[in-house]
Amino acid sequence: MVNGERIFFATRAQGIFKPKQMSAALSIRTVIPRSGRVAWYRDQGLGGRNSDPETGLLRYDLARGGRGEASNRTLQTAMERRAPLIYFAGFAPSEYQPIFPIWVEAFRENEVLLATSDSLVSLTDSIVRESVERTYSPTMTRARNHHAWFSARTKSAYGYRCAFSGLPVRELLVGAHIVPDAEGGPASVNNGICMSTLHHSAYDTHLIGVDPGFRVHVAPPLRERQDGDLLSTLKDLDGTRLRLPSQRDDWPNPTYLEQRFAHFEAAPT
């Protein structure tokens, strides 16, 4: 509510939304269609296919009708003003991960490129006006500008349960990378595992690992310690199998698991 008026963040009918009280777009939305329904836009696909390989920025398809179409013009206005948008990024049918703030950085023939606050920290308005293309240097190609979408999509694929323990408490779950993005790992569900924050810490410190056959391994330093039930629960994971998503297309890529498992095996014991 603003000055007694209700201003909506989005509507079900429009992917690019401009409230009547505003003159530029406020939000954009990507819908993941239900099974059997047609995906009308390229960015409706899953598995991290909505990032631009050249720049690392998010891609968002414009409405049909070209750059002059009414809703597309509201995005143009937002870009010219450097006005932030809310991006409701779909990660499952009727479920969205809001990303804010996000800005339109460039228009292409049928799409725009979007940047979040941590993807173009050094980009200033003057640089944008001078040369957007020159600013997209190779150092930005691994920009972590859709980590929130990746985490939400991964947790959804695993049914909001920890792949190690089966814990169903959403507040304690994260969508974790197998191969870190700093090492070239994509923000794809096939490079992700849903785990509790405890298991995530253990996985990141190579106390537990997962081999390409989805078998869980516990490092010797952890196996040899004796200290209560919680530690025993972690130790009991050794030799168990990872709880996999119901959809085979969402299973971890064995190549990514092999790359990460090599770090586990090389960790000091």
Side-chain angles (χ1 to χ4, degrees):
M1 298 297 295
V2 179
N3 297 328
E5 287 189 278
R6 183 186 299 274
I7 300 179
F8 291 94
F9 289 142
T11 65
R12 183 176 298 179
Q14 296 172 284
I16 302 170
F17 176 65
K18 180 192 77 64
K20 63 181 181 180
Q21 298 92 339
M22 300 176 66
S23 56
L26 173 63
S27 71
I28 55 177
R29 182 169 55 100
T30 296
V31 177
I32 301 301
R34 296 188 181 278
S35 178
R37 295 190 178 182
V38 176
W40 294 104
Y41 294 96
R42 294 169 299 173
D43 56 9
Q44 289 179 287
L46 298 176
R49 291 193 293 268
N50 62 340
S51 62
D52 178 56
E54 181 181 348
T55 65
L57 301 179
L58 291 176
R59 302 164 61 182
Y60 184 82
D61 284 352
L62 292 170
R64 288 182 175 83
R67 194 163 176 168
E69 191 271 339
S71 60
N72 294 337
R73 289 201 306 271
T74 67
L75 280 184
Q76 174 79 39
T77 303
M79 184 182 75
E80 292 169 353
R81 296 177 182 173
R82 299 296 293 153
L85 303 169
I86 308 168
Y87 183 18
F88 294 100
F91 62 89
S94 300
E95 295 190 65
Y96 302 89
Q97 172 66 47
I99 301 174
F100 177 84
I102 197 164
W103 292 270
V104 179
E105 290 297 335
F107 266 77
R108 290 181 173 175
E109 183 178 357
N110 297 309
E111 65 184 9
V112 292
L113 297 181
L114 307 168
T116 57
S117 57
D118 63 346
S119 62
L120 291 175
V121 174
S122 63
L123 190 62
T124 64
D125 289 351
S126 60
I127 293 176
V128 173
R129 289 192 294 267
E130 179 181 346
S131 176
V132 170
E133 183 175 352
R134 189 182 68 199
T135 303
Y136 293 145
S137 65
T139 60
M140 294 179 181
T141 59
R142 302 312 308 164
R144 298 181 60 180
N145 55 4
H146 53 295
H147 182 78
W149 178 90
F150 159 78
S151 182
R153 170 70 183 109
T154 300
K155 289 185 287 185
S156 174
Y158 282 78
Y160 298 98
R161 286 183 176 272
C162 173
F164 292 104
S165 66
L167 181 75
V169 183
R170 295 192 183 197
E171 293 83 357
L172 297 178
L173 299 177
V174 296
H177 285 80
I178 298 171
V179 178
D181 51 4
E183 297 179 18
S188 163
V189 68
N190 307 114
N191 186 42
I193 299 174
C194 177
M195 31 180 119
S196 75
T197 53
L198 173 63
H199 294 91
H200 187 203
S201 295
Y203 190 67
D204 273 357
T205 54
H206 306 302
L207 291 175
I208 57 176
V210 182
D211 67 29
F214 311 119
R215 189 71 58 184
V216 181
H217 299 256
V218 177
L222 197 59
R223 294 202 309 268
E224 294 166 2
R225 296 189 65 174
Q226 304 289 333
D227 191 7
D229 293 341
L230 182 58
L231 183 58
S232 296
T233 300
L234 285 174
K235 291 163 57 177
D236 289 344
L237 290 173
D238 194 51
T240 62
R241 197 166 186 267
L242 199 70
R243 301 165 186 255
L244 298 170
S246 58
Q247 300 296 319
R248 193 179 184 92
D249 287 346
D250 294 333
W251 286 14
N253 185 318
T255 300
Y256 300 145
L257 288 173
E258 183 177 18
Q259 183 176 336
R260 180 63 178 261
F261 191 63
H263 293 305
F264 170 81
E265 292 185 305
T269 59

